[in-house]
Amino acid sequence: MKKCRVITIARKYASGGRAIGQILADRLQVPIYDKELIAMAAKKSGMSEEVFHNADERATSSLLYSMVMGTFSFGAVPTANDMPINDKLFLIQSDIIKKAAEDGPCIIVGRCADYILRDRDDVLHVFINASREARRQRAIEYYGVDPKKADDALNRKDKQRGNYYSFYTNKRWDDVSNYNLTLDSSFFGLEKSADLILAAAEKME
């Protein structure tokens, strides 16, 4: 196995996955790709960043759905202009993720990065979870979610990410066999979780 160059982080909503990724990026002095991928995809495609933001990590309005509904005729090859925004964003982000991994060490959050980079042996794939109460409190305190709607927000966001992952990978998002390391950030805390991820990355060497 090669020295770890890239760390991918899949995460349940409000588990602190992005924050842990930022801690890792700061300690290692490497770039982190999360929401930044939207801006990069928009620039690469020449499309609106707002349009891509609305489609980010969502599998609705997919190419498959359009074909089933008869938007495309079977046997025809759709052009890039025909392709729904969700599928276009996924393909562009996939290219950006692959190039980022080639260019140098980095942290990549979400976007099926573990699946996209599954054939590389210099990547550590991590899944971050947390207790429901910890996620609920983080959603309220950090994301400004109405306490009365926090549980619904957790369910909706997790379902959205799970559907997105399943659609584009044909795998379950929360299947631990997809990852090299799974962590409960509410048990270890953000800094200690980052410590454990770095220790695992060092073991790859």
Side-chain angles (χ1 to χ4, degrees):
M1 184 175 289
K2 295 181 180 179
K3 178 178 179 179
C4 181
R5 285 168 48 88
V6 180
I7 299 173
T8 69
I9 299 178
R11 74 283 182 231
K12 284 202 170 182
Y13 176 65
S15 65
R18 162 73 195 202
I20 292 170
Q22 189 62 62
I23 292 170
L24 292 169
D26 291 342
R27 290 191 191 178
L28 297 171
Q29 292 295 292
V30 301
I32 181 172
Y33 299 97
D34 183 10
K35 295 297 184 182
E36 296 80 359
L37 288 167
I38 300 174
M40 295 170 73
K43 183 177 180 180
K44 183 174 181 178
S45 68
M47 296 186 66
S48 165
E49 185 174 335
E50 182 179 357
V51 170
F52 275 160
H53 177 78
N54 292 332
D56 187 42
E57 290 195 300
R58 291 176 174 84
T60 55
S61 186
S62 68
L63 175 60
L64 177 60
Y65 177 82
S66 300
M67 292 175 69
V68 170
M69 294 302 292
T71 304
F72 300 115
S73 59
F74 288 96
V77 179
T79 66
N81 289 333
D82 293 328
M83 191 176 293
I85 294 298
N86 308 70
D87 297 319
K88 186 179 296 186
L89 177 59
F90 178 79
L91 292 176
I92 295 173
Q93 285 187 338
S94 295
D95 287 341
I96 293 172
I97 286 170
K98 289 176 182 177
K99 186 177 186 303
E102 285 292 333
D103 288 346
C106 61
I107 310 296
I108 305 173
V109 180
R111 282 82 190 175
C112 303
D114 60 286
Y115 180 80
I116 293 166
L117 301 178
R118 64 192 181 282
D119 293 329
R120 296 184 66 101
D121 61 359
D122 57 353
V123 182
L124 178 68
H125 302 299
V126 181
F127 186 86
I128 304 294
N129 196 0
S131 70
R132 188 169 183 86
E133 182 55 30
R135 294 199 297 134
R136 189 177 184 280
Q137 288 302 314
R138 187 174 183 83
I140 295 169
E141 294 174 11
Y142 287 87
Y143 302 138
V145 175
D146 184 335
K148 295 179 181 179
K149 300 178 180 179
D151 286 317
D152 287 341
L154 294 182
N155 294 336
R156 184 177 68 256
K157 288 287 188 178
D158 284 347
K159 183 176 181 180
Q160 175 187 309
R161 290 177 180 177
N163 289 343
Y164 173 85
Y165 189 93
S166 296
F167 184 85
Y168 288 111
T169 70
N170 201 32
K171 293 177 179 291
R172 283 182 56 87
W173 167 63
D174 56 358
D175 183 348
V176 295
S177 66
N178 297 330
Y179 311 99
N180 307 121
L181 180 67
T182 61
L183 287 173
D184 180 345
S185 62
S186 58
F187 182 82
F188 293 107
L190 302 184
E191 294 287 345
K192 289 293 184 182
S193 293
D195 290 341
L196 291 169
I197 293 170
L198 288 176
E202 290 172 1
K203 291 295 183 182
M204 290 176 61
E205 302 177 24

